[in-house]
Amino acid sequence: MDWLPDFAAAALAAILAITLHEAAHGYAARALGDDTAARMGRLSLNPLRHVDPVGTLLVPGLLLISQLLVSGRVDVMFGWAKPVPVNIMALRNPRFGMVLVAAAGPAINVALAVAAAILLHPLQGPGGDNFLDWIEGFLILSLIGNLVLAAFNLLPIPPLDGGRILGGLLPPVIGIPFLRLERAGLFIVLGVLFLVPMAVPGFDPLRSLVSAVVLPGARFILAVTGHGG
């Protein structure tokens, strides 16, 4: 059970990152004229309101159990929350309002990463206190996890936030057909991330995303918050 404290820290960091990500979409939509999320009880910081039975429970649970049975440790987790409902046509400016609503999720994750880096300052110094060491580990996981979530969601594939941002910025004659890919978006994402790498040796988009975006982003945030990179 040595893995349990680390798993608890990672799970808490993920829950906070995903919950605030989804809530940010709802708050942004309400500010821009759409109260759908509020009327459906999804404008909430309660993580249970954003649970998707398959994406939040089944898929991560199967990954957790299978990895523990095979290797005795947890190396990879993947899942998703229930998307916050947004009525694009209720926004005061549907096209660019959609861009702002989509961008709100990754933006809050970057803000959380910066907050985690700032909160690390009082914990710097000699270790030895198990609880403080756990808090430090949680903040580091929160920093990295929020950047992973932000970078992943900014991939330009509908229904990810990056796909919706790109679809709203493209000319409508191109953007509208592009956004229609959202119907098959989940299968496209899963195919690119998991099926294609199995067929193409050396192709690992998740590892590339982490090495090219997440780690440089973490170093930059650490540097600007006074950690010297």
Side-chain angles (χ1 to χ4, degrees), residues 162-180:
R164 291 174 177 171
I165 293 171
L166 178 59
L169 294 177
L170 288 171
V173 67
I174 302 174
I176 292 174
F178 175 75
L179 289 171
R180 291 191 182 124

Side-chain angles (χ1 to χ4, degrees), residues 97-112:
M98 176 184 66
V99 172
L100 295 175
V101 170
I108 198 67
N109 290 130
V110 173
L112 288 170

Side-chain angles (χ1 to χ4, degrees), residues 10 13 15 17-18 25 31 40 43 56 79 101 104 125-126 134 144 151 157 163 169 176 181 214 220:
I15 289 169
I18 293 171
H25 289 312
M40 296 183 67
L43 199 61
T56 312
V101 170
W134 185 88
I144 298 297
I157 307 172
L169 294 177
I176 292 174
L181 293 174
V214 174
F220 176 76

Side-chain angles (χ1 to χ4, degrees), residues 62-224:
L62 289 174
L63 285 172
L64 172 65
I65 293 171
S66 61
Q67 289 177 90
L68 289 176
L69 289 175
V70 172
S71 64
R73 64 180 187 273
V74 181
D75 295 318
V76 178
M77 290 298 290
F78 179 78
W80 59 90
K82 186 191 303 180
V84 166
V86 177
N87 180 4
I88 294 173
M89 299 312 298
L91 300 173
R92 285 187 285 273
N93 184 325
R95 180 182 173 190
F96 293 109
M98 176 184 66
V99 172
L100 295 175
V101 170
I108 198 67
N109 290 130
V110 173
L112 288 170
V114 172
I118 293 172
L119 291 173
L120 277 170
H121 278 289
L123 299 173
Q124 290 180 326
D129 186 304
N130 289 338
F131 179 69
L132 292 181
D133 289 345
W134 185 88
I135 294 293
E136 183 178 16
F138 161 73
L139 290 173
I140 293 170
L141 288 169
S142 184
L143 167 63
I144 298 297
N146 273 284
L147 290 180
V148 168
L149 187 60
F152 176 77
N153 274 282
L154 285 173
L155 292 174
I157 307 172
L160 299 179
D161 298 326
R164 291 174 177 171
I165 293 171
L166 178 59
L169 294 177
L170 288 171
V173 67
I174 302 174
I176 292 174
F178 175 75
L179 289 171
R180 291 191 182 124
L181 293 174
E182 186 166 327
R183 300 166 186 169
L186 179 59
F187 298 102
I188 296 173
V189 171
L190 293 176
V192 170
L193 295 182
F194 297 104
L195 297 181
V196 175
M198 293 172 62
V200 181
F203 178 72
D204 190 340
L206 283 178
R207 185 180 295 274
S208 299
L209 185 70
V210 169
S211 62
V213 178
V214 174
L215 293 182
R219 294 189 190 101
F220 176 76
I221 288 174
L222 288 170
V224 298

